[in-house]
Amino acid sequence: MRILHTSDWHIGRTFHGNSTMDALAEVLGALTAQVRDNAVDVVVIAGDVFDSATPSGAAYTLLGDALVALHETGARVIVTSGNHDSAARLGFQARLLRDGIHVLTDPLAVGVPVTVADAHGPVHFFGIPYLEPAIVRQHWPEGDGSGRQLRTQAQTMAHAMDLVRAGMARHEGRSVAIAHCFAAGVDATIGLEREVRQGGLDVVPLSVFDGPDYVALGHIHGRQKLSDRVRYAGAPLHYSFGEQDKPRGSWLVDIDADGLAEVEWLELPVPRRLVTLTGPLDELLSAETVAAHADDWVCAVYTDAVPQTEPMRRLRESYPYCAMVQHQPEVRAEADERSYVQRLRNAVTDADRIDAFLEHVRAGQGPTEAERGLIRAILDERVRAEALV
């Protein structure tokens, strides 16, 4: 049996205020072509289908179009919910969907598989929706079997996987588990969710996933191989500049009569490349640099000693897709580390005090000669005005 493992579509997410709907539709079209070209039997979408618990009408339309297109290839489609999804909204049409499209959002059905047969017999797919302990605890008041309440996602996921293994015991054959969580062993530099960066890491031990022939995980936006049989596919689009160098794609998983046989990475196209350009603003606006990146999403980091006037406006005149601009002055090795109070101790005149202030806010860079002339002119004008009073 051939399985395509994808996740974290985040339909409806914006990129620095720009819609990603058209780009995502293009990428999902390419993914559908890969399903057809590789004769995939089952497509697994491991959570975060939507970016919001209240998706727009356009987001539902895009999801519907994608599911129909995948179904028309002849593949079965199995979808689980993630932390960004509303399980109720994602799953409300589950009973009405055409045969071959399965949306699994009910925690109480974790141990009940979707079974797909091939020439070697059944393969059982166990979908685990995102499990927020405070919400799903009511469904399992007995806790983890030792009398302890389910308080962490690690405990909750361990209990869910116990239910999966119990389901495996009742249903002979090969098995695949689908889950959405943060598993131990993930490279924390690759595409973490916004909530993960802002909060603590509720890490699920890798041993929790023992048992199934393959475990398709979602929640991390970069591909990850935690073991031969436990993997993250990542998001199909780049949703932040931190992900710009990470490949986009999905895992093509082959299961034979004995279980997991082979896993191959299928690259997806990148509709618009993301780049971070660093250097003085004039250098970023040079004809050579602009020619190389005019069609890219650009994060511009200009390193001039002082803030420049209207940098975003100037950049967008050359880079229509400049999404972000940052001022990060180069720190010189000989930079003066004195505090502002220390600088003022040696300031005698008003001009000295202005120099001290500029050096402090500019990481040691004092006024230019042109600025000194302007400062002297202003101070002289003030003296003349006071003399007339």
Side-chain angles (χ1 to χ4, degrees), residues 3 24-25 58 60-61 72 120 169 175 184 206 213 215 234 237 241 248 254 259 300 328-330 341 365 369-370 377:
I3 302 163
L24 184 57
Y60 277 109
T61 299
E72 288 177 348
H120 304 294
S175 59
L206 194 57
D213 295 288
V215 180
L237 273 184
F241 283 102
R248 302 289 89 169
D254 285 328
Q328 293 182 7
E330 289 183 340
V341 171
Q365 180 70 41
E369 284 305 314

Side-chain angles (χ1 to χ4, degrees), residues 9-42:
W9 289 5
H10 287 280
I11 301 174
R13 174 170 286 195
T14 58
F15 180 75
H16 294 275
N18 299 278
S19 172
T20 62
M21 298 286 274
D22 290 342
L24 184 57
E26 177 183 338
V27 171
L28 294 181
L31 183 145
T32 301
Q34 291 177 343
V35 169
R36 182 181 297 106
D37 294 344
N38 290 279
V40 170
D41 300 296
V42 179

Side-chain angles (χ1 to χ4, degrees), residues 225-363:
K225 174 186 173 184
L226 305 186
S227 74
D228 286 341
R229 58 179 197 84
V230 182
R231 300 174 187 244
Y232 287 95
L237 273 184
H238 291 117
Y239 286 117
S240 73
F241 283 102
E243 304 170 18
Q244 66 188 44
D245 296 322
K246 311 305 179 186
R248 302 289 89 169
S250 51
W251 293 112
L252 186 65
V253 182
D254 285 328
I255 293 182
D256 62 16
D258 299 319
L260 183 63
E262 186 178 358
V263 182
E264 176 187 354
W265 178 252
L266 295 183
E267 200 91 8
L268 283 170
V270 176
R272 191 176 303 283
R273 187 175 56 157
L274 278 67
V275 297
T276 299
L277 304 178
T278 303
L281 187 59
D282 287 344
E283 182 179 305
L284 301 187
L285 293 171
S286 68
E288 182 179 357
T289 306
V290 170
H293 301 290
D295 292 327
D296 298 336
W297 285 117
V298 171
C299 171
V301 182
Y302 72 94
T303 58
D304 301 70
V306 298
Q308 299 298 295
T309 303
E310 298 184 299
M312 178 61 88
R313 180 190 60 77
R314 295 167 63 188
L315 284 160
R316 282 190 171 166
E317 287 175 352
S318 299
Y319 302 100
Y321 304 102
C322 183
M324 188 176 182
V325 60
Q326 298 177 345
H327 179 219
Q328 293 182 7
E330 289 183 340
V331 179
R332 296 175 297 173
E334 68 275 12
D336 190 341
E337 299 297 333
R338 291 177 300 162
S339 70
Y340 184 43
V341 171
Q342 291 171 326
R343 295 176 195 276
L344 285 176
R345 286 173 183 166
N346 297 323
V348 177
T349 66
D350 287 342
D352 292 337
R353 296 185 185 94
I354 294 172
D355 285 1
F357 173 76
L358 291 175
E359 287 176 359
H360 180 66
V361 299
R362 292 176 174 179

Side-chain angles (χ1 to χ4, degrees), residues 140-163:
W140 299 310
E142 71 279 9
D144 62 2
S146 63
R148 294 180 302 179
Q149 275 195 329
L150 303 177
R151 297 191 177 278
T152 68
Q153 196 179 46
Q155 292 173 329
T156 307
M157 186 60 67
H159 182 67
M161 281 302 299
D162 285 342
L163 297 176

